[in-house]
Each structure stands twice: as C-alpha cells, then as structure tokens.
Amino acid sequence: MSPGLFNDWIVIFLMMTGFYTLITRGNLIKKLIGLGVFQVSVFMLYISMGKVEGGTAPILTEGVVHYSNPLPHVLILTAIVVGIATLAVGLALTVRIQEAYGTIEEDEIRELGGIE
Amino acid sequence: MKEPLRQHLILRMVSKFLIPYILLFALYVQFHGDYGPGGGFQAGVIFAAGIVLYALIFSLHRARRAFPDRAVELFISLGVLIYGGTGILCLLRGGRFLDYSVLSTHDPIHGQHLGILLVELGVGITVTAAMVAIFFAFADRGRA
Amino acid sequence: MLLLAGTALAIVLLRDLFAVVMLSAIFSLLSASLFVLLDAVDVAFTEAAVGAGISTVLMLGALALTSTREKASRNFQLVPFLVVLLTGGVLVYATLDMPRFGDPQAPIHQHVAPRYLNASMREVGVENVVSAVLASYRGYDTYGETMVIFTAAVSVLLLLGGGRKRSRTELEPPEEAP
C-alpha cells in the first residue's frame, strides 16, 4: 500500500462512477455524460502511466534530460477527438429518438415498443 | 438557440473583440505545432469554437452565410484528401505511403517538415469543418 | 484530484441535466489542468478545447431539443451498485501490481518511447515529440483518426441534416425578427 498508487485509485473511482451512471440511469443524455466520465478516467490512466518522476513535457529543449513518455500523449490526443466524434453521433441519435418517441427515458421508450 | 444573444451589448462587444484573436490563435496553434504544444486537432477545435461563438452571439443565419453548407461539406472531405494526397505523393516520389522523407529532393528532414505541415493542415481542415457541420446540424434542428 | 472525484459524484446525483452539462464542462477543465501537471501539455490543450468547449455546446444544443429534466427514478439501486463495487474492487486489487507513479523503470518507458525521444530530432527534426510521433511515425493511425472524424460528421449530417434542400428553403426568409 504505497502512496504511488493514488492516481490509479482515483482513476478507478472515476471509472466506476461513470460505469454506475451508465448502467443505472435511464436518461440517454445522462448515459452519454457517464460515458464521458468513464472516458476521461481512461485518459487519466494512460497519462499518469506516461509521467516520469522529474521529467518534463516531451518538447525537446537544450539542457533537459528527462522527458515524460510521449506515446500515451499521442494515443490520448487522438482518443479525445474520437470521443467528441462519438459523442456528437450519440447526441444526434438521442435527438432523433426524442423526435420519434417524444422521450429520451429508456423505460418509457421500451413501453412504447421501441426496443424489442 | 432560438433567440440569438444579440441584444446583450457586453457579450456582443467582447466577442467581437475576441473572435479574431481566437481564429488567429487557432492558426498559430496549427502552424506552431511542430515547436510547441499544438497541432491540427487542437487548432481545428479552436477554430471551430470561434465560429460557434460567432453563431451563438450573432445569429446562426449570419454564421451560415459566412460558412455556407456546401463549403463546409467540401472542406470536410478536402482535409481527408490533403492527408491522403500527401501519402499518395510520397508513393509517387518513390517512397512508402506517408513516408515524408522523399518529399524533398535534397534533405529528408525538410521533407519530414513539409509532410507534417501538410498532414496537420489536412487534419485541421477536417476537424474544423466537421465540428462546424455538426454544430450547424444541431442548431438547425432547434429552429425547425 | 479529489475535486475531480467530487464533481463526478455530483454528475451522478444531480437530476437537472443543465447543471450536469455545466458540471461536465468543469470536470473537463479540471482534468485538463491535471494533464498539465502530468506533463501532457498537448493532451491538456485538446481536452480543454474539446471537453469544456465544443462538447458542452453540443450537449446544450441537444438539451434544447430534448428535455432538461431527468425523470425521477430510484436513486439507489442495489444490484448495479454491487456490480460496480465488485468491478472496482477487482481493479484496485489489480493496481497492486502496477508500477508506482512516476517510476522511470516502469515497463512503459523501456521499449519504444526512448527511441522516439532520442531519434526523432535526427529523423524528423521537430522539437515537439508528440507532433513527430502523431504525424510522422504514426501517420497511419492519425489518418484513420481523421477518417473517424469524417465519418462522424457525415453520419451526424445524415441523422440531423434533413437534406440540403429543406435547410436552404428554411434559410431563405431573413432572420430579422425583433
């Protein structure tokens, strides 16, 4: 039990918060936000793995020896942009569901026979 | 989103002042990405944020007149084409796909610089246009 | 970080979706500042611009088209809570094997990253290693990435655009109403 794992634990807490929102809330927008929280927690996991004690941002400068690992940064950079793309598609689907069923609550949609 | 925030004087003046700088900053981020933090993704998002701010403060109608649908849709694919075209150009010059070193005849480093510049430009254009198109699509629904 | 955790909790508990969207913007901004602390300046930049900017605007746009209140349901549900607790417990158990935070000897720092850090100046000649890896070493990935954005934009336009013909006729009357 060393303090070196504090970041990981916060990440897990956030991940589980997002997960809980995702599985218990019926509102589709709330679900998407929960998914967003989950996503950010994964980003944090990657970025904290890339951190090196005493390192600095991976922009090459004279006189600096230690840099943080640039690879997770690249992966997460693209992941964030994919995240916003999927969020936009999800919201668009939600809007269409609202127009078709008049509600975005999952159970009400099910009552209306939306989900077989 | 139905009623533009035009009547708020402070919002209008501040955003009028800020929007050119936001767009300029986006361009700086785009082309300075090689040396500092930044690149096509960030620049595209910032540029789109400037346009979205314009559409929110002044009217959606004016924003759409400045950035017509057809142009936005064209730019979405133009960015991808620039990226892919850079890769094809590398192939044509005898290298591998997206191997920028062959782009310059005398110095592979210059080729790399050129390649990264082009590729980031493609990414920036696509991201900007895509974000603007998505925002316009949402805002349009709200008025219908 | 505890602030982040608190914001996340508030996101789960609040019912007013407008407040939740605002909180998620704050959440993004907080995580962006955390990324700066962890030396990921590029990522922080993107997170601040995307999370606190564009995604909030999109969510508000979607809220304007749907309802801003979440339907009241039972706040506490036992079975999902147990599932979450169990998963979280397993994950915490798994972290005990993780390398400690900031450890330069961690496996992740041993393999590809040193090569990028050492050789990118010679091979690519760009100071920002993240840019070098993103655009040059991993050009294929970024290309796929751009394709994802392209696809997302096209699908949103298909879902919400409703055809250009309709929107053009709608645009015709000038919006000069008082």
Side-chain angles (χ1 to χ4, degrees):
Chain A
M1 294 287 168
S2 86
L5 292 173
F6 182 65
N7 263 34
D8 296 334
W9 292 340
I10 291 284
V11 163
I12 289 170
F13 177 80
L14 290 178
M15 201 181 272
M16 287 306 111
T17 317
F19 188 35
Y20 183 73
T21 318
L22 203 58
I23 56 181
T24 58
R25 294 296 179 256
N27 188 300
L28 293 176
I29 289 186
K30 193 76 176 272
K31 268 182 196 290
L32 283 173
I33 293 175
L35 198 63
V37 172
F38 197 110
Q39 230 171 18
V40 171
S41 79
V42 176
F43 300 165
M44 265 175 216
L45 179 69
Y46 270 64
I47 299 295
S48 21
M49 279 201 279
K51 169 78 178 164
V52 175
E53 194 72 68
T56 179
I59 294 170
L60 300 175
T61 330
E62 290 291 319
V64 180
V65 195
H66 295 294
Y67 295 101
S68 285
N69 194 332
L71 202 52
H73 299 184
V74 176
L75 299 179
I76 296 311
L77 193 62
T78 48
I80 289 177
V81 183
V82 168
I84 180 81
T86 49
L87 177 78
V89 176
L91 286 175
L93 283 171
T94 312
V95 168
R96 287 310 292 258
I97 288 173
Q98 163 80 21
E99 285 170 3
Y101 295 101
T103 175
I104 49 169
E105 299 288 342
E106 208 174 38
D107 45 351
E108 289 174 11
I109 297 170
R110 196 172 288 133
E111 276 165 29
L112 289 168
I115 299 168
E116 296 302 323
Chain B
M1 235 166 274
K2 287 168 198 133
E3 188 72 12
L5 303 168
R6 245 184 306 187
Q7 54 273 44
H8 293 269
L9 185 66
I10 296 177
L11 278 180
R12 264 187 77 180
M13 293 325 280
V14 170
S15 53
K16 211 174 217 169
F17 179 72
L18 275 181
I19 287 172
Y21 288 104
I22 294 177
L23 299 186
L24 199 63
F25 181 61
L27 291 178
Y28 165 78
V29 169
Q30 170 84 52
F31 294 111
H32 201 258
D34 299 0
Y35 307 103
F41 287 112
Q42 294 94 323
V45 173
I46 294 171
F47 205 89
I51 297 172
V52 166
L53 183 64
Y54 183 78
L56 284 177
I57 303 289
F58 306 96
S59 69
L60 183 64
H61 179 65
R62 287 171 73 173
R64 297 192 74 142
R65 219 165 38 195
F67 302 92
D69 282 0
R70 191 175 278 279
V72 171
E73 282 164 25
L74 202 74
F75 273 112
I76 296 179
S77 24
L78 181 69
V80 179
L81 281 180
I82 289 179
Y83 203 134
T86 312
I88 301 291
L89 194 65
C90 296
L91 279 183
L92 290 180
R93 293 193 63 108
R96 280 162 293 171
F97 189 64
L98 293 175
D99 177 17
Y100 314 127
S101 297
V102 293
L103 283 179
S104 169
T105 41
H106 48 92
D107 189 358
I109 294 285
H110 284 182
Q112 289 282 351
H113 275 287
L114 186 64
I116 290 181
L117 198 73
L118 283 174
V119 159
E120 294 271 19
L121 188 67
V123 171
I125 289 175
T126 300
V127 171
T128 311
M131 292 301 152
V132 170
I134 291 171
F135 171 74
F136 279 171
F138 273 98
D140 235 19
R141 276 275 153 166
R143 300 179 339 146
Chain C
M1 293 208 94
L2 290 176
L3 256 173
L4 268 175
T7 319
L9 266 188
I11 286 177
V12 187
L13 295 178
L14 277 180
R15 296 228 164 278
D16 187 359
L17 286 178
F18 185 75
V20 169
V21 169
M22 286 301 142
L23 274 175
S24 72
I26 293 174
F27 183 77
S28 286
L29 208 58
L30 283 174
S31 52
S33 40
L34 182 73
F35 290 150
V36 174
L37 284 182
L38 294 175
D39 293 342
V41 275
D42 278 277
V43 179
F45 210 154
T46 320
E47 177 69 34
V50 166
I54 298 283
S55 77
T56 312
V57 170
L58 287 186
M59 289 220 197
L60 287 181
L63 278 189
L65 299 176
T66 56
S67 59
T68 52
R69 285 298 291 179
E70 188 186 357
K71 202 187 68 168
S73 60
R74 271 184 309 134
N75 212 344
F76 185 79
Q77 288 163 328
L78 187 65
V79 177
F81 188 72
L82 283 181
V83 169
V84 165
L85 219 57
L86 194 72
T87 321
V90 171
L91 286 178
V92 167
Y93 177 66
T95 59
L96 297 180
D97 282 341
M98 290 274 285
R100 297 298 175 259
F101 174 68
D103 182 7
Q105 300 305 319
I108 181 175
H109 303 306
Q110 304 305 320
H111 184 44
V112 206
R115 183 177 181 282
Y116 286 153
L117 283 172
N118 295 326
S120 77
M121 201 57 200
R122 185 163 33 82
E123 291 176 354
V124 185
V126 163
E127 275 88 346
N128 188 349
V129 186
V130 174
S131 284
V133 177
L134 185 82
S136 188
Y137 288 113
R138 304 242 160 168
Y140 275 64
D141 295 11
T142 314
Y143 190 44
E145 201 55 49
T146 318
M147 278 318 223
V148 170
I149 309 288
F150 176 75
T151 317
V154 168
S155 42
V156 169
L157 284 180
L158 284 176
L159 281 168
L160 293 182
R164 193 183 290 125
K165 214 175 284 169
R166 205 203 62 183
S167 60
R168 185 173 286 165
T169 50
E170 261 176 310
L171 277 175
E172 285 305 295
E175 293 287 309
E176 293 303 327

